[in-house]
Amino acid sequence: KQAQQLLNTLVAKLDIKTIQIEGFKHALPSGREVYYIGDRHGEPIFELCNPKYVTWGGSQNVEWIQDSDWCKYEQWLTPIAAIQKHAEYLSKKSQKELQSLIEPIGGFKGGIGDPLYDDVQRNLMIDLSEENSKLAQKYKDLNYKTKEGQKSMLALYADIISKYGNTYGTNYSNYGIREAHICWRDKRVMKFVTKLEEGKKNTYWFDEHYEEQPEDISILKIYVDEVWEGTILGTGSESIYLNIRPIPNQYPSKYNPFGTKLPYIGKNYYTFMNNTKNIAPIDPAKPWQRDYDVIMSQIKFLMKTDMGNQFLMYLELKPEGWSYKQWLTTAKNTKFLMTNLKKHGSPVDPSLLRNLNLSNVQEIASKIELLNYYRSNLIQSLSFNDSRMGSIGQYSTNQNIQQSQSASYNQTEGLFETHRLIVEKALNAFMNRARYIYRDNIKRFLALDDVARTELEMNPDIWYEEQLIEFTTSSEELKKVDMLKANLLPFLSPISKKEIL
């Protein structure tokens, strides 16, 4: 009951439904879905991560990020956003230093962005490469690895932006302060103690500072994982390090020091225990899309160059002294074609006045047929079909449509199941973290009733999953719950049945 009340509150407050939908959208082009579970300003956090900037490493067959040995997530924030996000850990001096840490998104080493879309970068490269470039001479000694060099880099971009700003815009969104949040596994000593109490052997876990007691039978030192986290703002020797600590409440319970997880939940969709390179769900469609685009380009070219029906005639047919405009206008308006069949003495065959078909219609039709072939294969490469997309033929029966749609859903079941499992694991980790946070959060008085709040305050040091409580998004589980309710109601009294309903 407590878990359900807390879940209802947080799902609505953080709009988790929208977050996981966006996570699936990100996974389609990247083949990766990642969520961050943590706390900020005394509140639990369920955030979607940009999969492009998440890196991690672990043992050979580890696929899930939360089971890996380390993980890093990079973002580029504005100074205002960085101060707001790390308000508890940034001193006044550090806040002033943030301005000097601004850099192009992607970092000085990794480039500024894609020159195909970044007009400022493109013009910067053009200006620097020009012969006798004043800009190149001005910044010839620039070294991005030093603090002064980074300031000079900002001045360089300021010069470019001021020069081309009126034409291309300032593009301030291409700059920010690099934030790298890093999590890693370390080791700590725990003592597994067996005690003799009232004639019975009981076992307990204690930290490394525990000292032997008379009732102790054995003390076993064990090295267990301890997950740490830290944040770096900026790049280089002048970076600011914040909030380096062991992640709080990372153990399932005081009886279980194992099973701790990294706060990033997710995985690559298709690696097969890291034996293959990950692909995105839309990757199989890319070759067909390329061929489709090529044929579509050819069709557009044929349509633009189509000459249609042409009028074939000899120049000698035009009456002498008439302009072509007069001649053709008279023929169009009067339906009389004035001509001189013996303009130069020899007769001209009037049958030469005829239409000549120079149209590309047949070639265009054959290209369209090929285009439909590529389209069909493109859709099938994504495990879809026309019936599932809503394109239903007029002669299709309902039974055929349902069978076609079911077959398509069976093909994509693995994709959606992977997404569901990622969200489910993230949701369970989020609720375990929220249980600890709401123990001391004043909002527990609004989210929980008296009984649920009392249980949380009296017995907080245990995850929900340690109590065999799990959060699921499976429709099959919902069907089981409805079936249990339906079977339970006949055994309840009328009053109890009314309360249940």
Side-chain angles (χ1 to χ4, degrees), residues 53 75-76 101-113 118 121 124 144 150 153-154 157 171-178 235:
Y53 297 107
Q75 300 182 77
W76 277 262
L101 298 176
I102 297 176
E103 62 183 83
I105 290 178
F108 293 111
K109 247 182 182 178
I112 310 127
D118 188 343
Q121 182 199 7
L124 167 65
Y144 70 86
Q150 293 174 10
M153 180 72 82
L154 294 176
Y157 278 93
N171 283 331
Y172 282 121
S173 59
N174 288 339
Y175 308 89
I177 299 171
R178 173 180 173 266
T235 303

Side-chain angles (χ1 to χ4, degrees), residues 173-382:
S173 59
N174 288 339
Y175 308 89
I177 299 171
R178 173 180 173 266
E179 178 204 65
H181 183 241
I182 304 172
C183 304
W184 68 96
R185 293 182 186 271
D186 204 341
K187 294 296 180 182
R188 63 172 296 186
V189 176
M190 297 287 288
K191 293 182 178 180
F192 186 66
V193 181
T194 303
K195 293 178 177 290
L196 183 62
E197 298 173 330
E198 298 180 357
K200 294 182 178 180
K201 290 183 179 181
N202 297 319
T203 58
Y204 303 91
W205 285 95
F206 296 98
D207 63 20
E208 57 185 319
H209 302 293
Y210 176 80
E211 296 182 358
E212 185 175 357
Q213 302 296 321
E215 64 274 14
D216 294 345
I217 299 176
S218 64
I219 300 177
L220 179 62
K221 290 185 179 180
I222 298 178
Y223 287 88
V224 300
D225 284 349
E226 184 177 43
V227 178
W228 285 64
E229 67 175 349
T231 301
I232 304 174
L233 294 180
T235 303
S237 59
E238 302 299 326
S239 301
I240 300 174
Y241 291 75
L242 302 173
N243 198 27
I244 300 176
R245 62 171 184 172
I247 293 180
N249 307 312
Q250 61 180 272
Y251 298 105
S253 73
K254 59 185 179 182
Y255 309 107
N256 182 10
F258 301 99
T260 184
K261 306 287 186 182
L262 268 60
Y264 289 92
I265 313 297
K267 68 188 297 287
N268 288 328
Y269 269 48
Y270 301 104
T271 60
F272 304 100
M273 299 185 73
N274 299 321
N275 289 315
T276 63
K277 182 180 179 181
N278 183 46
I279 65 170
I282 65 171
D283 281 350
K286 290 179 180 179
W288 296 107
Q289 181 67 57
R290 179 196 59 203
D291 294 339
Y292 183 94
D293 292 340
V294 169
I295 299 301
M296 195 67 204
S297 177
Q298 293 176 357
I299 291 176
K300 290 181 178 180
F301 177 79
L302 290 173
M303 293 176 65
K304 290 179 180 179
T305 57
D306 185 31
M307 299 180 66
N309 291 326
Q310 300 295 317
F311 184 59
L312 181 65
M313 67 176 186
Y314 276 86
L315 297 178
E316 289 80 358
L317 295 177
K318 179 176 72 66
E320 189 173 356
W322 287 37
S323 66
Y324 283 103
K325 182 178 180 180
Q326 290 175 330
W327 184 42
L328 295 175
T329 301
T330 302
K332 178 180 179 182
N333 295 333
T334 66
K335 305 304 179 184
F336 289 102
L337 183 64
M338 306 297 182
T339 184
N340 185 358
L341 298 180
K342 296 183 179 180
K343 184 175 181 180
H344 296 290
S346 58
V348 179
D349 188 359
S351 64
L352 294 175
L353 290 169
R354 58 189 178 87
N355 286 337
L356 182 64
N357 187 2
L358 298 179
S359 175
N360 295 327
V361 172
Q362 292 184 350
E363 188 174 358
I364 291 175
S366 64
K367 295 287 186 183
I368 291 177
E369 186 176 351
L370 183 59
L371 196 70
N372 290 329
Y373 167 77
Y374 285 135
R375 173 187 171 277
S376 176
N377 282 278
L378 190 154
I379 294 173
Q380 291 184 16
S381 68
L382 295 172

